[in-house]
Amino acid sequence: MHTKIGLAAALALGLAIPAATTYAAYQVGSARDDILIGADDDNQADPEIQPAGVAANQSLNNADTLIGGPGDDILIGMLGSDVLIGGPGEDVIIGGIERGSQPNSDIQIGDTGDDIAIWQGGDGSDLFDGGQGNNDALVFGTIDRDSTTNVPILSPVYGRHAETGLPTANVSGQGGFCTLEAVQDPAARGFEFLVRFFSKANGNLLVTVRTRDVEQVFCTAEDAAAVTFADLTEPNPQFVEIALDAVRGLNSQVARVIR
């Protein structure tokens, strides 16, 4: 069993490798496995960004650009509408956690490698482009987070991502479910599927995540505390309920993240 730790503890243990280059609203990873977290500091509270006496908003509303290097990186956008690019390697990308704060629509690009994007309730309508991996996965789940900092908790793991740890998320027990729609003209749209997330409580459509070059989606059953799975490489993909133990056979990295 992996012990869950907060970001500060991870840093103290040497699990988190800081980005090689860090600027407000723009971070670039190193050649190692990095944890990149949005600074959320390009906003109207910055007097260099927002001149005194100016009413019009001159900021990026906490938007960040995070670009991973060749390692297996963890990218966490936090607040704002962020752009997250995993780069080479098997990366884990989290646009939020925004918890309903707006703006919150993120662009997530996995690039090469088998990447995982995790979306949770309260985040906005996003786009996930998996890139040139063979097993890119979109996961809908409630991410375990530090209640003080709102930063996702990273759990120590062995093997891949040992330097960074991995976030964890409750997929089987979250309060929503997913449906899937293929777009009519992917070439014109620039994406292939619309994954729609609905509230279990009232059936309302909450958000839509666009996918491109994504092979797998993991979500929650509409009428049960169970995981559903859609294989987007099939001719007519649909969500089917699967046992949690079956996730490992579908995606061993996702199996280390979800419950």
Side-chain angles (χ1 to χ4, degrees), residues 70-83:
D72 300 326
D73 304 312
I74 308 292
L75 279 62
I76 304 170
M78 301 301 290
L79 301 180
S81 293
D82 305 305
V83 176

Side-chain angles (χ1 to χ4, degrees), residues 99-250:
R99 302 177 66 195
S101 172
Q102 296 184 354
N104 57 5
S105 293
D106 305 305
I107 304 298
Q108 302 164 84
I109 300 174
D111 204 349
T112 57
D114 294 335
D115 306 302
I116 300 171
I118 308 176
W119 181 98
Q120 84 148 29
D123 295 349
S125 292
D126 297 338
L127 181 144
F128 176 40
D129 183 336
Q132 299 179 28
N134 296 317
N135 225 22
D136 297 304
L138 171 61
V139 174
F140 289 76
T142 302
I143 300 168
D144 297 310
R145 63 183 180 88
D146 185 292
S147 60
T148 301
T149 65
N150 202 41
V151 174
I153 295 170
L154 302 180
S155 299
V157 294
Y158 297 103
R160 194 178 290 275
H161 289 290
E163 290 190 75
T164 61
L166 281 172
T168 50
N170 184 348
V171 173
S172 60
Q174 74 175 326
F177 64 94
C178 296
T179 65
L180 185 64
E181 301 172 22
V183 302
Q184 294 183 4
D185 191 345
R189 284 287 189 182
F191 47 86
E192 299 158 336
F193 292 94
L194 301 174
V195 186
R196 301 197 189 274
F197 185 79
F198 295 80
S199 167
K200 279 190 177 184
N202 54 29
N204 289 343
L205 174 60
L206 300 178
V207 297
T208 298
V209 178
R210 299 138 182 83
T211 70
R212 175 184 173 89
D213 289 334
V214 175
E215 288 73 42
Q216 301 178 328
V217 184
F218 295 85
C219 195
T220 310
E222 180 177 357
D223 54 2
V227 175
T228 56
F229 169 73
D231 182 348
L232 302 189
T233 66
E234 293 183 347
N236 183 31
Q238 301 291 329
F239 279 103
V240 296
E241 186 175 322
I242 61 172
L244 190 58
D245 290 344
V247 175
R248 182 170 299 278
L250 296 167

Side-chain angles (χ1 to χ4, degrees), residues 5-135:
I5 57 176
L7 179 62
L11 287 166
L13 291 173
L15 286 174
I17 309 300
T21 305
T22 303
Y23 305 102
Y26 184 81
Q27 298 183 46
V28 179
S30 69
R32 301 188 62 178
D33 297 349
D34 295 307
I35 299 171
L36 304 182
I37 300 176
D40 288 348
D41 59 0
D42 194 314
N43 52 51
Q44 289 180 282
D46 186 340
E48 186 173 25
I49 299 295
Q50 187 71 31
V54 174
N57 186 352
Q58 305 300 303
S59 80
L60 296 180
N61 293 316
N62 294 317
D64 293 281
T65 299
L66 309 181
I67 303 175
D72 300 326
D73 304 312
I74 308 292
L75 279 62
I76 304 170
M78 301 301 290
L79 301 180
S81 293
D82 305 305
V83 176
L84 304 97
I85 302 173
E90 298 194 357
D91 307 302
V92 178
I93 303 172
I94 300 173
I97 304 172
E98 285 109 353
R99 302 177 66 195
S101 172
Q102 296 184 354
N104 57 5
S105 293
D106 305 305
I107 304 298
Q108 302 164 84
I109 300 174
D111 204 349
T112 57
D114 294 335
D115 306 302
I116 300 171
I118 308 176
W119 181 98
Q120 84 148 29
D123 295 349
S125 292
D126 297 338
L127 181 144
F128 176 40
D129 183 336
Q132 299 179 28
N134 296 317
N135 225 22

